[in-house]
Amino acid sequence: MTEQTAVPGTVRTGRLDLVPLAVAHAGEMAEVLADPALHAFTGGAPLSPSELRARYERLAAGSPDPSVAWHNWVVRLRAEERLTGTVQATVTDGGRAAEVAWVVGTAWQGRGIAREAAGGLVALLASRGVRTVVAHVHPDHEASAAVARAAGLAPTDRTEDGEVRWELRVASPDALPYGLGV
């Protein structure tokens, strides 16, 4: 993203809409993220609707560091007209690097939603000039590792805070794995 302050709009993939996160999503997302099992690899506990609203207010306000851009989306499964999770990208290095993350509510796991959402996010980032995409995955979180791999990332030998660093170096958006286009 050559202009880090540019906020991408809705991203459409085959089955999903990645909709820019808004404070108004907090109520529905509190339900989506309510399962304590979602925190097995990341720690913490589910946030209440009011706690999530406060978090979304902070995220929507943007990074306090002008050299860092926060981009957050909720994941809407069009067929069910339902929010199912989130994806996010923290863009740095003048728009050339991004750290990404994803989460899909327990009720929607195992349906390829995280794979499709993360792939759409990586494709968007590459199309906007990001050349290095990074994710951190707990070494025992096989499902998240599969999502990272499907999005074109590969594990490195580096760990940070107990998580494996995964990377994708993008030569051009055309070099992305088949099917990652938005």
Side-chain angles (χ1 to χ4, degrees):
M1 295 185 182
T2 55
E3 187 175 320
Q4 285 185 244
T5 57
V7 177
T10 298
V11 177
R12 289 180 62 92
T13 66
R15 301 175 297 153
L16 308 172
D17 291 329
L18 309 183
V19 180
L21 181 131
V23 176
H25 294 127
E28 185 174 355
M29 286 305 301
E31 294 174 24
V32 171
L33 303 174
D35 187 350
L38 286 175
H39 301 272
F41 293 105
T42 60
L47 299 177
S48 70
S50 63
E51 291 169 323
L52 198 56
R53 192 170 3 284
R55 176 173 169 72
Y56 286 4
E57 286 172 356
R58 288 189 303 277
L59 291 173
S63 171
D65 181 343
S67 69
V68 175
W70 294 342
H71 300 292
N72 298 274
W73 295 263
V74 291
V75 177
R76 177 182 291 126
L77 180 59
R78 284 192 302 274
E80 295 182 16
E81 297 181 7
R82 182 80 166 99
L83 299 181
T84 60
T86 64
V87 292
Q88 63 187 44
T90 300
V91 181
T92 59
D93 191 24
R96 292 180 298 273
E99 185 163 335
V100 299
W102 51 84
V103 64
V104 170
T106 306
W108 297 275
Q109 290 179 2
R111 296 168 58 180
I113 292 170
R115 177 183 178 176
E116 186 174 330
L121 175 59
V122 168
L124 172 71
L125 294 168
S127 75
R128 300 280 180 101
V130 170
R131 294 297 172 248
T132 303
V133 180
V134 173
H136 292 90
V137 177
H138 190 282
D140 297 329
H141 199 321
E142 294 175 19
S144 199
V147 169
R149 188 169 286 108
L153 284 78
T156 69
D157 59 1
R158 293 176 52 191
T159 59
E160 297 172 22
D161 296 325
E163 295 183 320
V164 176
R165 179 183 171 98
W166 288 65
E167 287 186 9
L168 169 64
R169 301 281 181 174
V170 180
S172 76
D174 296 333
L176 291 174
Y178 174 77
L180 286 185
V182 290

